[in-house]
Amino acid sequence: MPSDVVVESSIEIDHITHFYKKNQNILEDVNLSLGTGLFGLLGANGAGKSTLMRIICTLLVPKEGSARVCGYDVVKDCRQVRELIGYLPQEFSAWRLHRVEEVLDTLAQISGMTNKKIRRARVAEVLESVGLDAVADRKVKKLSGGMVRRLGVAQALVHEPQVLIVDEPTVGLDPEERMRFRQLMTQLGRDRTILLSTHIVADLGSGVSQIAILDDGNISFQGEPTELLNRAQDFVYRIPSSEEGLLSDELDFEIVSREGFDQDATVRVVVDDPDAVPSSAEKVNDPSLEEAYLAFMAARGKLSTARQIEEELDAKAKKKQERMKLKKLR
């Protein structure tokens, strides 16, 4: 590393702008600074999350601005950056007829680990850390969706990177596998930088240090989860389920959850105009992180867009899961 470089952040994004067609910016003057820990990147489909991650991983050259990883420029020093980064793309697949251990060993060689003894020891260590040591001899085609995702994490970690970039990590996973993945990311984030992009807010878990929201190509929020939760205080309400009809047709709102099933049941809603809620509404003082995100989008006039995109992506994830199940049956 150059002697005049003082590294304060693992990832530093300075005024990044990128477009695929002129006058249609995907990213516009994006600034982001990340240190050690687990960081969540939220944003609607098409907000530019994957584009930003590809720039950080040296797979795209930004039109304007610069990005550095541990002090190295992602354009000028791309070789050094790649040695420092582990990348788990949204679509990860491996050779289906190869054994888990074989796949990881081959990918470790590609990552530059030429010493066979050291490489095999590291492969065994990483498989144990992601909970795949018991299936090291199993062929990839016999793995569950969650196991394949963990193999993706293993290949990203095998060369011991300081920075881990993870794009939509839980697509197609069942709730139990999502929980395991959250626990794994929290554990790994203790001694490295992890940037995790997702549309499923709950996947960030309690281990997330900071959250950044990418909207219309800009970072519209960066801060601790508690700050985002505090902003939601006036936008989340609980009302009797029998009075749902009192919510105005002109009021933009989303029913987040239902509590109870009898005549005393209530619903939790996120609204865009606190002054328009019915008098029976009770303000919620302990909003969830998902409600806080929806409240943030509501304040920006994009509540329906956020929910619609989440539903569309969830539907795609379910279809992918069904395709994977059909492949296993063949």
Side-chain angles (χ1 to χ4, degrees):
M1 185 179 298
S3 59
D4 60 339
V5 174
V6 178
V7 180
E8 296 181 352
S9 302
S10 298
I11 299 176
E12 197 75 37
I13 309 296
D14 292 322
H15 304 289
I16 287 286
T17 293
H18 192 76
F19 55 83
Y20 298 103
K21 294 182 180 180
K22 288 186 177 181
N23 302 320
Q24 294 182 14
N25 288 352
I26 300 297
L27 300 173
E28 186 170 359
D29 197 29
V30 171
N31 295 279
L32 198 60
S33 180
L34 307 178
T36 301
L38 175 59
F39 297 84
L41 181 64
L42 296 173
N45 190 29
K49 302 191 302 298
S50 293
T51 297
L52 180 60
M53 288 187 155
R54 288 172 63 82
I55 288 173
I56 296 172
C57 293
T58 76
L59 301 176
L60 278 178
V61 176
K63 301 298 183 183
E64 297 178 16
S66 64
R68 292 181 297 278
V69 175
C70 299
Y72 289 108
D73 187 276
V74 299
V75 177
K76 299 176 182 177
D77 308 310
C78 62
R79 181 175 178 180
Q80 291 91 332
V81 170
R82 289 176 182 178
E83 292 176 352
L84 293 166
I85 276 183
Y87 178 45
L88 175 59
Q90 183 175 347
E91 297 290 338
F92 171 80
S93 59
W95 303 288
R96 287 173 50 79
L97 298 180
H98 287 67
R99 294 182 298 108
V100 169
E101 189 177 38
E102 290 177 332
V103 169
L104 191 56
D105 184 73
T106 300
L107 293 174
Q109 291 183 62
I110 294 174
S111 296
M113 300 184 70
T114 56
N115 185 298
K116 186 175 181 180
K117 184 177 179 180
I118 294 176
R119 187 178 68 247
R120 288 196 169 182
R122 178 58 184 166
V123 166
E125 180 185 357
V126 173
L127 286 177
E128 182 179 2
S129 71
V130 299
L132 291 178
D133 51 317
V135 296
D137 291 329
R138 187 179 298 179
K139 289 186 177 181
V140 173
K141 70 177 184 177
K142 298 292 186 179
L143 299 181
S144 68
M147 288 179 176
V148 172
R149 209 64 184 145
R150 277 185 272 163
L151 179 57
V153 175
Q155 64 81 28
L157 290 173
V158 72
H159 60 296
E160 300 187 82
Q162 296 181 33
V163 176
L164 186 61
I165 308 295
V166 186
D167 195 2
E168 295 288 353
T170 63
V171 171
L173 302 189
D174 61 36
E176 185 176 353
E177 288 171 333
R178 284 180 175 177
M179 181 180 67
R180 289 188 188 133
F181 195 91
R182 286 197 299 269
Q183 293 172 344
L184 177 60
M185 289 297 102
T186 299
Q187 179 183 356
L188 293 174
R190 293 171 183 168
D191 57 0
R192 57 173 52 82
T193 299
I194 300 179
L195 178 58
L196 189 156
S197 166
T198 181
H199 72 280
I200 304 172
V201 184
D203 281 348
L204 298 180
S206 59
V208 66
S209 303
Q210 284 196 12
I211 293 172
I213 297 177
L214 191 58
D215 186 34
D216 286 340
N218 303 110
I219 298 294
S220 55
F221 172 87
Q222 182 183 1
E224 296 180 359
T226 52
E227 183 181 344
L228 191 63
L229 290 169
N230 290 335
R231 292 191 180 198
Q233 292 294 328
D234 295 327
F235 292 88
V236 186
Y237 289 83
R238 181 184 292 108
I239 65 171
S241 59
S242 60
E243 299 183 12
E244 290 178 40
L246 295 178
L247 294 173
S248 170
D249 292 336
E250 298 179 359
L251 178 65
D252 195 5
F253 71 94
E254 290 292 343
I255 297 176
V256 181
S257 62
R258 294 181 181 273
E259 301 169 347
F261 299 95
D262 54 21
Q263 59 183 2
D264 296 324
T266 60
V267 294
R268 288 168 72 118
V269 298
V270 174
V271 301
D272 68 339
D273 184 3
D275 295 328
V277 297
S279 58
S280 59
E282 174 189 356
K283 188 167 71 172
V284 173
N285 294 319
D286 59 342
S288 66
L289 197 56
E290 179 184 13
E291 290 168 337
Y293 171 62
L294 290 173
F296 182 86
M297 298 302 285
R300 293 174 65 82
K302 298 182 178 181
L303 178 59
S304 295
T305 302
R307 175 59 73 178
Q308 180 183 355
I309 289 169
E310 281 200 14
E311 290 175 349
E312 289 175 354
L313 291 174
D314 281 339
K316 289 181 180 179
K318 289 179 181 178
K319 288 182 179 179
K320 180 180 178 180
Q321 196 169 13
E322 290 173 357
R323 288 197 302 269
M324 293 177 66
K325 288 181 179 178
L326 287 174
K327 283 183 180 180
K328 289 180 179 180
L329 294 174
R330 291 173 182 171

